[in-house]
Amino acid sequence: MARQDAIKPISLALQGGGAHGAFTWGVVDRLLEEESLSISGISGTSAGAMNAVVMASGLAKGGPTQARAALTEFWRDVSRDGRLSPLQRTAFDRVLGNWSLAKSPAYIAFEVASRFLSPYDFNPLNLNPLRDILHAHVDFEAIRASNVKVFISATNVHTGRARVFGHTEMTAEAVMASACLPLLFQAVEIDGVPYWDGGYMGNPPLFPLYEHVEADDILLVQINPILREETPRTSAEIQNRINEITFNASLLAQLRAIDQVTQLIEQGLLTRWTLGSSGFRRVRLHRIGGADQLVGFDLSSKMNAEWAFLQHLRDLGRQAAEDFIAEHGDDVGRRSTLDLRLELAD
């Protein structure tokens, strides 16, 4: 049992990425076993938002053990629902152990149809089974009443700006807005405002944790690779890389802003520019990234909800968290392990 004075408060920032969110499931599953860590805040986008609210609901109702069980049950139900989808791997891909859906006739048909038809055409009733799964696994009232602060982002369709739904605003509709891919689902309207996936403008949102959570350590769980050594040449490779660049753009902008604030603090200049009660502080940043583990999976695999694939991603995430704890566990509460200068270098 960890001593009370040895417990380190930490915030989690969870990226979105479809089925690749099961990697994040594995990461937080391992972190929840660590008695020396206490989760003070969680931010997330898309699949990261779903992981965030399922985990927060479990923490509020029964602590880390309940949170781990809730995440397992949630992803299991996602997989059960996925079995009804026409998006399945080909027999050839199954034999080769390839998790891609790129050669699936249903996936190819969807890619072609999405260029001519919108969700308002092929899904006029706006059916989305994830809404029912969320209601089954998340107690939003418990989240709103808990001490763990949760923030999720969505993109305002009209303004193109990020909307961050805070702790007291947490609802199933907010989560559905955060995960609303515009080519798959109709925009989610909240108070008359339409929203799309938050990945376009805040994947994940860092500043709510910076501004509203007391924990000085923020752990980013990143599942969209920033760096690729090879130039994409096929159509699928190009689309995959565009998706990664787009869904990392807002994160890089936030990291750049945090780095600038840190430099001003170090130079003693920021206090002269601070007005009123606005305050800036230095935070310690850490990252568990899935670049090495997920770089081999293409864009189509983000729609693969097979239980075996989700379990594989979970296991990759658990190992990545295990490696982080072994290498940097003692650094949490003491220093940053994410070098922003190196990360943002051209």
Short mmCIF file of all heavy atoms in Angstrom, two decimals, residues 124-181:
data_model
loop_
_atom_site.label_atom_id
_atom_site.label_comp_id
_atom_site.label_asym_id
_atom_site.label_seq_id
_atom_site.Cartn_x
_atom_site.Cartn_y
_atom_site.Cartn_z
N PRO A 124 -30.25 8.33 -42.52
CA PRO A 124 -31.21 9.41 -42.24
C PRO A 124 -31.79 9.37 -40.83
O PRO A 124 -32.20 10.40 -40.30
CB PRO A 124 -32.29 9.21 -43.31
CG PRO A 124 -32.19 7.77 -43.69
CD PRO A 124 -30.73 7.42 -43.59
N LEU A 125 -31.83 8.19 -40.21
CA LEU A 125 -32.36 8.07 -38.85
C LEU A 125 -31.31 8.39 -37.80
O LEU A 125 -31.60 8.39 -36.60
CB LEU A 125 -32.91 6.66 -38.62
CG LEU A 125 -34.08 6.24 -39.52
CD1 LEU A 125 -34.51 4.82 -39.20
CD2 LEU A 125 -35.25 7.20 -39.37
N ASN A 126 -30.08 8.65 -38.25
CA ASN A 126 -28.98 9.03 -37.36
C ASN A 126 -28.73 7.96 -36.28
O ASN A 126 -28.58 8.28 -35.09
CB ASN A 126 -29.26 10.39 -36.71
CG ASN A 126 -27.99 11.04 -36.17
OD1 ASN A 126 -26.89 10.73 -36.60
ND2 ASN A 126 -28.16 11.92 -35.20
N LEU A 127 -28.69 6.73 -36.69
CA LEU A 127 -28.45 5.63 -35.75
C LEU A 127 -26.97 5.57 -35.39
O LEU A 127 -26.10 5.67 -36.26
CB LEU A 127 -28.88 4.30 -36.39
CG LEU A 127 -30.35 4.19 -36.82
CD1 LEU A 127 -30.60 2.86 -37.50
CD2 LEU A 127 -31.27 4.36 -35.61
N ASN A 128 -26.68 5.42 -34.11
CA ASN A 128 -25.30 5.31 -33.64
C ASN A 128 -25.29 4.43 -32.40
O ASN A 128 -25.68 4.87 -31.31
CB ASN A 128 -24.71 6.69 -33.33
CG ASN A 128 -23.21 6.60 -33.08
OD1 ASN A 128 -22.69 5.57 -32.68
ND2 ASN A 128 -22.51 7.70 -33.30
N PRO A 129 -24.87 3.17 -32.54
CA PRO A 129 -24.91 2.25 -31.40
C PRO A 129 -24.02 2.67 -30.23
O PRO A 129 -24.24 2.24 -29.10
CB PRO A 129 -24.43 0.92 -32.01
CG PRO A 129 -23.68 1.31 -33.24
CD PRO A 129 -24.36 2.53 -33.75
N LEU A 130 -23.02 3.52 -30.48
CA LEU A 130 -22.14 3.94 -29.39
C LEU A 130 -22.90 4.74 -28.34
O LEU A 130 -22.53 4.75 -27.17
CB LEU A 130 -20.99 4.78 -29.94
CG LEU A 130 -19.84 4.01 -30.59
CD1 LEU A 130 -18.83 4.98 -31.18
CD2 LEU A 130 -19.16 3.09 -29.57
N ARG A 131 -23.97 5.40 -28.75
CA ARG A 131 -24.77 6.18 -27.78
C ARG A 131 -25.35 5.24 -26.72
O ARG A 131 -25.29 5.53 -25.52
CB ARG A 131 -25.88 6.93 -28.51
CG ARG A 131 -26.70 7.83 -27.59
CD ARG A 131 -27.80 8.55 -28.36
NE ARG A 131 -27.27 9.56 -29.26
CZ ARG A 131 -27.23 9.46 -30.58
NH1 ARG A 131 -27.67 8.35 -31.17
NH2 ARG A 131 -26.75 10.44 -31.32
N ASP A 132 -25.90 4.11 -27.16
CA ASP A 132 -26.47 3.15 -26.21
C ASP A 132 -25.39 2.53 -25.33
O ASP A 132 -25.61 2.28 -24.14
CB ASP A 132 -27.23 2.04 -26.96
CG ASP A 132 -28.48 2.58 -27.67
OD1 ASP A 132 -29.01 3.61 -27.22
OD2 ASP A 132 -28.89 1.97 -28.68
N ILE A 133 -24.22 2.26 -25.92
CA ILE A 133 -23.12 1.68 -25.14
C ILE A 133 -22.66 2.65 -24.06
O ILE A 133 -22.40 2.26 -22.91
CB ILE A 133 -21.95 1.29 -26.07
CG1 ILE A 133 -22.38 0.16 -27.02
CG2 ILE A 133 -20.73 0.86 -25.26
CD1 ILE A 133 -21.32 -0.21 -28.04
N LEU A 134 -22.58 3.94 -24.41
CA LEU A 134 -22.19 4.94 -23.41
C LEU A 134 -23.18 4.99 -22.27
O LEU A 134 -22.80 5.02 -21.09
CB LEU A 134 -22.10 6.32 -24.07
CG LEU A 134 -20.79 6.67 -24.76
CD1 LEU A 134 -20.93 8.02 -25.45
CD2 LEU A 134 -19.64 6.71 -23.77
N HIS A 135 -24.47 5.04 -22.59
CA HIS A 135 -25.49 5.09 -21.54
C HIS A 135 -25.44 3.85 -20.65
O HIS A 135 -25.71 3.94 -19.45
CB HIS A 135 -26.88 5.24 -22.17
CG HIS A 135 -27.22 6.63 -22.60
ND1 HIS A 135 -27.35 7.67 -21.71
CD2 HIS A 135 -27.45 7.15 -23.84
CE1 HIS A 135 -27.65 8.78 -22.37
NE2 HIS A 135 -27.71 8.50 -23.66
N ALA A 136 -25.06 2.72 -21.23
CA ALA A 136 -25.01 1.48 -20.45
C ALA A 136 -23.82 1.43 -19.50
O ALA A 136 -23.87 0.79 -18.45
CB ALA A 136 -24.96 0.27 -21.40
N HIS A 137 -22.73 2.13 -19.84
CA HIS A 137 -21.49 1.98 -19.08
C HIS A 137 -21.05 3.21 -18.31
O HIS A 137 -20.10 3.12 -17.53
CB HIS A 137 -20.37 1.56 -20.04
CG HIS A 137 -20.52 0.19 -20.59
ND1 HIS A 137 -20.18 -0.95 -19.89
CD2 HIS A 137 -21.03 -0.25 -21.78
CE1 HIS A 137 -20.44 -2.02 -20.62
NE2 HIS A 137 -20.95 -1.62 -21.77
N VAL A 138 -21.70 4.34 -18.52
CA VAL A 138 -21.23 5.58 -17.89
C VAL A 138 -22.34 6.21 -17.05
O VAL A 138 -23.46 6.41 -17.54
CB VAL A 138 -20.75 6.59 -18.95
CG1 VAL A 138 -20.26 7.88 -18.28
CG2 VAL A 138 -19.64 5.99 -19.81
N ASP A 139 -22.00 6.52 -15.81
CA ASP A 139 -22.90 7.24 -14.91
C ASP A 139 -22.46 8.70 -14.93
O ASP A 139 -21.55 9.10 -14.20
CB ASP A 139 -22.81 6.66 -13.49
CG ASP A 139 -23.82 7.28 -12.54
OD1 ASP A 139 -24.26 8.42 -12.80
OD2 ASP A 139 -24.16 6.64 -11.52
N PHE A 140 -23.10 9.50 -15.78
CA PHE A 140 -22.67 10.88 -15.96
C PHE A 140 -22.96 11.72 -14.72
O PHE A 140 -22.21 12.67 -14.42
CB PHE A 140 -23.34 11.49 -17.19
CG PHE A 140 -22.77 10.96 -18.49
CD1 PHE A 140 -23.39 9.92 -19.16
CD2 PHE A 140 -21.61 11.51 -19.01
CE1 PHE A 140 -22.85 9.43 -20.34
CE2 PHE A 140 -21.08 11.03 -20.19
CZ PHE A 140 -21.68 9.97 -20.86
N GLU A 141 -23.99 11.38 -14.00
CA GLU A 141 -24.26 12.11 -12.76
C GLU A 141 -23.14 11.88 -11.75
O GLU A 141 -22.72 12.82 -11.05
CB GLU A 141 -25.60 11.66 -12.17
CG GLU A 141 -26.02 12.44 -10.94
CD GLU A 141 -27.40 12.07 -10.45
OE1 GLU A 141 -28.15 11.43 -11.22
OE2 GLU A 141 -27.74 12.43 -9.31
N ALA A 142 -22.63 10.65 -11.69
CA ALA A 142 -21.52 10.35 -10.78
C ALA A 142 -20.26 11.12 -11.18
O ALA A 142 -19.51 11.59 -10.32
CB ALA A 142 -21.24 8.85 -10.77
N ILE A 143 -20.03 11.26 -12.50
CA ILE A 143 -18.87 12.02 -12.97
C ILE A 143 -18.99 13.48 -12.54
O ILE A 143 -18.04 14.08 -12.03
CB ILE A 143 -18.75 11.94 -14.51
CG1 ILE A 143 -18.40 10.51 -14.94
CG2 ILE A 143 -17.69 12.92 -15.02
CD1 ILE A 143 -18.35 10.33 -16.44
N ARG A 144 -20.17 14.07 -12.75
CA ARG A 144 -20.36 15.48 -12.41
C ARG A 144 -20.21 15.75 -10.91
O ARG A 144 -19.85 16.85 -10.50
CB ARG A 144 -21.73 15.95 -12.90
CG ARG A 144 -21.86 15.97 -14.43
CD ARG A 144 -23.13 16.68 -14.87
NE ARG A 144 -24.33 15.95 -14.49
CZ ARG A 144 -24.95 15.06 -15.26
NH1 ARG A 144 -24.46 14.77 -16.47
NH2 ARG A 144 -26.04 14.45 -14.86
N ALA A 145 -20.45 14.72 -10.09
CA ALA A 145 -20.38 14.87 -8.63
C ALA A 145 -19.01 14.49 -8.08
O ALA A 145 -18.76 14.66 -6.88
CB ALA A 145 -21.46 14.03 -7.96
N SER A 146 -18.11 13.98 -8.92
CA SER A 146 -16.83 13.45 -8.43
C SER A 146 -15.78 14.54 -8.34
O SER A 146 -15.95 15.65 -8.85
CB SER A 146 -16.34 12.33 -9.34
OG SER A 146 -15.84 12.86 -10.56
N ASN A 147 -14.67 14.20 -7.68
CA ASN A 147 -13.55 15.13 -7.54
C ASN A 147 -12.59 15.08 -8.72
O ASN A 147 -11.72 15.95 -8.84
CB ASN A 147 -12.79 14.84 -6.25
CG ASN A 147 -13.61 15.14 -5.01
OD1 ASN A 147 -14.40 16.10 -4.99
ND2 ASN A 147 -13.47 14.32 -3.97
N VAL A 148 -12.70 14.05 -9.56
CA VAL A 148 -11.85 13.95 -10.74
C VAL A 148 -12.45 14.81 -11.84
O VAL A 148 -13.57 14.56 -12.30
CB VAL A 148 -11.71 12.49 -11.21
CG1 VAL A 148 -10.85 12.42 -12.46
CG2 VAL A 148 -11.13 11.62 -10.11
N LYS A 149 -11.74 15.83 -12.26
CA LYS A 149 -12.26 16.75 -13.26
C LYS A 149 -12.04 16.19 -14.67
O LYS A 149 -10.94 15.74 -14.99
CB LYS A 149 -11.59 18.12 -13.12
CG LYS A 149 -11.90 18.79 -11.79
CD LYS A 149 -11.24 20.15 -11.68
CE LYS A 149 -11.57 20.81 -10.35
NZ LYS A 149 -10.91 22.13 -10.21
N VAL A 150 -13.08 16.24 -15.48
CA VAL A 150 -13.05 15.67 -16.82
C VAL A 150 -13.36 16.76 -17.85
O VAL A 150 -14.28 17.56 -17.66
CB VAL A 150 -14.05 14.51 -16.96
CG1 VAL A 150 -13.94 13.87 -18.34
CG2 VAL A 150 -13.85 13.47 -15.87
N PHE A 151 -12.58 16.77 -18.94
CA PHE A 151 -12.78 17.74 -20.01
C PHE A 151 -12.68 17.01 -21.35
O PHE A 151 -11.76 16.22 -21.56
CB PHE A 151 -11.71 18.83 -19.97
CG PHE A 151 -11.58 19.51 -18.63
CD1 PHE A 151 -10.69 19.02 -17.68
CD2 PHE A 151 -12.34 20.63 -18.34
CE1 PHE A 151 -10.57 19.65 -16.44
CE2 PHE A 151 -12.22 21.25 -17.10
CZ PHE A 151 -11.33 20.76 -16.15
N ILE A 152 -13.63 17.27 -22.23
CA ILE A 152 -13.57 16.67 -23.57
C ILE A 152 -13.82 17.76 -24.61
O ILE A 152 -14.50 18.76 -24.34
CB ILE A 152 -14.59 15.53 -23.73
CG1 ILE A 152 -16.01 16.03 -23.54
CG2 ILE A 152 -14.27 14.39 -22.79
CD1 ILE A 152 -17.06 14.97 -23.80
N SER A 153 -13.26 17.57 -25.78
CA SER A 153 -13.35 18.60 -26.82
C SER A 153 -14.16 18.12 -28.02
O SER A 153 -14.18 16.94 -28.35
CB SER A 153 -11.96 19.03 -27.29
OG SER A 153 -11.32 17.96 -27.96
N ALA A 154 -14.83 19.07 -28.65
CA ALA A 154 -15.53 18.85 -29.91
C ALA A 154 -15.27 20.07 -30.78
O ALA A 154 -14.79 21.11 -30.30
CB ALA A 154 -17.03 18.66 -29.68
N THR A 155 -15.57 19.96 -32.07
CA THR A 155 -15.33 21.05 -33.00
C THR A 155 -16.65 21.68 -33.42
O THR A 155 -17.54 21.00 -33.94
CB THR A 155 -14.59 20.55 -34.26
OG1 THR A 155 -13.35 19.97 -33.87
CG2 THR A 155 -14.33 21.70 -35.23
N ASN A 156 -16.80 22.98 -33.16
CA ASN A 156 -17.98 23.72 -33.57
C ASN A 156 -18.00 23.80 -35.09
O ASN A 156 -17.10 24.38 -35.70
CB ASN A 156 -17.95 25.12 -32.94
CG ASN A 156 -19.19 25.94 -33.22
OD1 ASN A 156 -19.69 25.97 -34.34
ND2 ASN A 156 -19.69 26.62 -32.20
N VAL A 157 -19.01 23.21 -35.71
CA VAL A 157 -19.08 23.16 -37.18
C VAL A 157 -19.18 24.56 -37.78
O VAL A 157 -18.59 24.84 -38.83
CB VAL A 157 -20.26 22.29 -37.64
CG1 VAL A 157 -20.37 22.28 -39.16
CG2 VAL A 157 -20.11 20.86 -37.12
N HIS A 158 -19.90 25.45 -37.13
CA HIS A 158 -20.11 26.79 -37.67
C HIS A 158 -18.86 27.66 -37.58
O HIS A 158 -18.51 28.36 -38.54
CB HIS A 158 -21.27 27.48 -36.92
CG HIS A 158 -22.60 26.90 -37.23
ND1 HIS A 158 -23.73 27.15 -36.47
CD2 HIS A 158 -23.02 26.05 -38.22
CE1 HIS A 158 -24.77 26.50 -36.98
NE2 HIS A 158 -24.36 25.82 -38.04
N THR A 159 -18.19 27.63 -36.45
CA THR A 159 -17.04 28.53 -36.24
C THR A 159 -15.70 27.87 -36.53
O THR A 159 -14.70 28.56 -36.74
CB THR A 159 -17.01 29.05 -34.80
OG1 THR A 159 -16.75 27.94 -33.90
CG2 THR A 159 -18.34 29.70 -34.42
N GLY A 160 -15.66 26.53 -36.53
CA GLY A 160 -14.40 25.82 -36.71
C GLY A 160 -13.52 25.86 -35.48
O GLY A 160 -12.35 25.48 -35.54
N ARG A 161 -14.07 26.31 -34.35
CA ARG A 161 -13.29 26.40 -33.12
C ARG A 161 -13.56 25.22 -32.20
O ARG A 161 -14.59 24.56 -32.30
CB ARG A 161 -13.62 27.71 -32.39
CG ARG A 161 -13.27 28.96 -33.17
CD ARG A 161 -13.77 30.20 -32.46
NE ARG A 161 -13.49 31.41 -33.24
CZ ARG A 161 -14.00 32.60 -32.96
NH1 ARG A 161 -14.82 32.75 -31.95
NH2 ARG A 161 -13.68 33.64 -33.72
N ALA A 162 -12.62 25.00 -31.31
CA ALA A 162 -12.78 23.92 -30.34
C ALA A 162 -13.76 24.34 -29.25
O ALA A 162 -13.74 25.49 -28.80
CB ALA A 162 -11.44 23.56 -29.72
N ARG A 163 -14.61 23.44 -28.84
CA ARG A 163 -15.47 23.63 -27.67
C ARG A 163 -15.07 22.58 -26.64
O ARG A 163 -15.09 21.38 -26.94
CB ARG A 163 -16.94 23.45 -28.05
CG ARG A 163 -17.89 23.22 -26.87
CD ARG A 163 -18.15 24.46 -26.05
NE ARG A 163 -18.91 24.15 -24.83
CZ ARG A 163 -20.24 24.05 -24.77
NH1 ARG A 163 -20.97 24.22 -25.85
NH2 ARG A 163 -20.83 23.80 -23.61
N VAL A 164 -14.67 23.03 -25.49
CA VAL A 164 -14.31 22.12 -24.41
C VAL A 164 -15.49 22.02 -23.45
O VAL A 164 -15.93 23.02 -22.88
CB VAL A 164 -13.05 22.59 -23.67
CG1 VAL A 164 -12.76 21.67 -22.48
CG2 VAL A 164 -11.85 22.61 -24.61
N PHE A 165 -16.00 20.80 -23.29
CA PHE A 165 -17.07 20.55 -22.33
C PHE A 165 -16.42 20.22 -20.99
O PHE A 165 -15.64 19.27 -20.89
CB PHE A 165 -17.95 19.40 -22.80
CG PHE A 165 -18.74 19.72 -24.04
CD1 PHE A 165 -18.22 19.46 -25.30
CD2 PHE A 165 -20.00 20.30 -23.95
CE1 PHE A 165 -18.93 19.76 -26.45
CE2 PHE A 165 -20.72 20.61 -25.10
CZ PHE A 165 -20.19 20.34 -26.35
N GLY A 166 -16.74 21.02 -19.99
CA GLY A 166 -16.12 20.85 -18.69
C GLY A 166 -16.83 19.84 -17.83
O GLY A 166 -17.83 19.22 -18.20
N HIS A 167 -16.30 19.70 -16.65
CA HIS A 167 -16.72 18.70 -15.69
C HIS A 167 -18.24 18.71 -15.45
O HIS A 167 -18.89 17.66 -15.51
CB HIS A 167 -15.98 18.98 -14.38
CG HIS A 167 -16.16 17.93 -13.34
ND1 HIS A 167 -15.66 16.66 -13.46
CD2 HIS A 167 -16.79 17.98 -12.14
CE1 HIS A 167 -15.97 15.97 -12.39
NE2 HIS A 167 -16.64 16.73 -11.57
N THR A 168 -18.79 19.87 -15.22
CA THR A 168 -20.21 19.95 -14.88
C THR A 168 -21.12 19.83 -16.10
O THR A 168 -22.34 19.73 -15.96
CB THR A 168 -20.52 21.28 -14.16
OG1 THR A 168 -20.15 22.38 -15.02
CG2 THR A 168 -19.71 21.38 -12.87
N GLU A 169 -20.54 19.85 -17.30
CA GLU A 169 -21.33 19.76 -18.53
C GLU A 169 -21.32 18.37 -19.14
O GLU A 169 -21.84 18.18 -20.23
CB GLU A 169 -20.77 20.74 -19.57
CG GLU A 169 -20.69 22.19 -19.12
CD GLU A 169 -19.90 23.02 -20.11
OE1 GLU A 169 -18.69 22.81 -20.22
OE2 GLU A 169 -20.51 23.88 -20.76
N MET A 170 -20.73 17.41 -18.43
CA MET A 170 -20.49 16.10 -19.03
C MET A 170 -21.79 15.33 -19.25
O MET A 170 -22.54 15.04 -18.32
CB MET A 170 -19.54 15.31 -18.12
CG MET A 170 -18.70 14.28 -18.84
SD MET A 170 -17.77 14.95 -20.24
CE MET A 170 -16.89 16.31 -19.47
N THR A 171 -22.07 15.02 -20.51
CA THR A 171 -23.25 14.26 -20.91
C THR A 171 -22.86 13.31 -22.03
O THR A 171 -21.81 13.44 -22.66
CB THR A 171 -24.37 15.18 -21.43
OG1 THR A 171 -23.91 15.85 -22.61
CG2 THR A 171 -24.78 16.21 -20.38
N ALA A 172 -23.75 12.36 -22.30
CA ALA A 172 -23.51 11.43 -23.41
C ALA A 172 -23.45 12.17 -24.74
O ALA A 172 -22.64 11.84 -25.61
CB ALA A 172 -24.61 10.37 -23.45
N GLU A 173 -24.28 13.21 -24.90
CA GLU A 173 -24.28 13.97 -26.15
C GLU A 173 -22.95 14.69 -26.36
O GLU A 173 -22.46 14.80 -27.49
CB GLU A 173 -25.44 14.97 -26.17
CG GLU A 173 -26.79 14.33 -26.35
CD GLU A 173 -26.84 13.43 -27.58
OE1 GLU A 173 -26.62 13.93 -28.70
OE2 GLU A 173 -27.10 12.22 -27.44
N ALA A 174 -22.36 15.20 -25.28
CA ALA A 174 -21.05 15.85 -25.40
C ALA A 174 -19.99 14.86 -25.87
O ALA A 174 -19.14 15.19 -26.71
CB ALA A 174 -20.65 16.47 -24.06
N VAL A 175 -20.03 13.65 -25.35
CA VAL A 175 -19.07 12.63 -25.76
C VAL A 175 -19.31 12.22 -27.21
O VAL A 175 -18.37 12.05 -27.99
CB VAL A 175 -19.15 11.39 -24.84
CG1 VAL A 175 -18.13 10.34 -25.27
CG2 VAL A 175 -18.90 11.79 -23.39
N MET A 176 -20.59 12.09 -27.59
CA MET A 176 -20.90 11.75 -28.97
C MET A 176 -20.44 12.85 -29.92
O MET A 176 -19.98 12.57 -31.03
CB MET A 176 -22.41 11.52 -29.14
CG MET A 176 -22.96 10.33 -28.37
SD MET A 176 -22.12 8.78 -28.75
CE MET A 176 -22.46 8.65 -30.49
N ALA A 177 -20.54 14.10 -29.49
CA ALA A 177 -20.05 15.21 -30.31
C ALA A 177 -18.55 15.11 -30.49
O ALA A 177 -18.02 15.32 -31.59
CB ALA A 177 -20.42 16.55 -29.66
N SER A 178 -17.85 14.77 -29.42
CA SER A 178 -16.39 14.66 -29.47
C SER A 178 -15.94 13.57 -30.43
O SER A 178 -14.83 13.63 -30.97
CB SER A 178 -15.84 14.39 -28.07
OG SER A 178 -14.44 14.30 -28.08
N ALA A 179 -16.78 12.56 -30.64
CA ALA A 179 -16.42 11.41 -31.48
C ALA A 179 -17.16 11.39 -32.81
O ALA A 179 -17.20 10.35 -33.48
CB ALA A 179 -16.70 10.12 -30.72
N CYS A 180 -17.71 12.53 -33.22
CA CYS A 180 -18.54 12.56 -34.42
C CYS A 180 -17.70 12.79 -35.68
O CYS A 180 -17.44 13.93 -36.07
CB CYS A 180 -19.60 13.66 -34.28
SG CYS A 180 -20.68 13.79 -35.71
N LEU A 181 -17.30 11.71 -36.32
CA LEU A 181 -16.59 11.82 -37.59
C LEU A 181 -17.58 12.25 -38.67
O LEU A 181 -18.59 11.57 -38.91
CB LEU A 181 -15.95 10.49 -37.96
CG LEU A 181 -14.75 10.08 -37.09
CD1 LEU A 181 -14.35 8.64 -37.38
CD2 LEU A 181 -13.57 11.01 -37.32
#
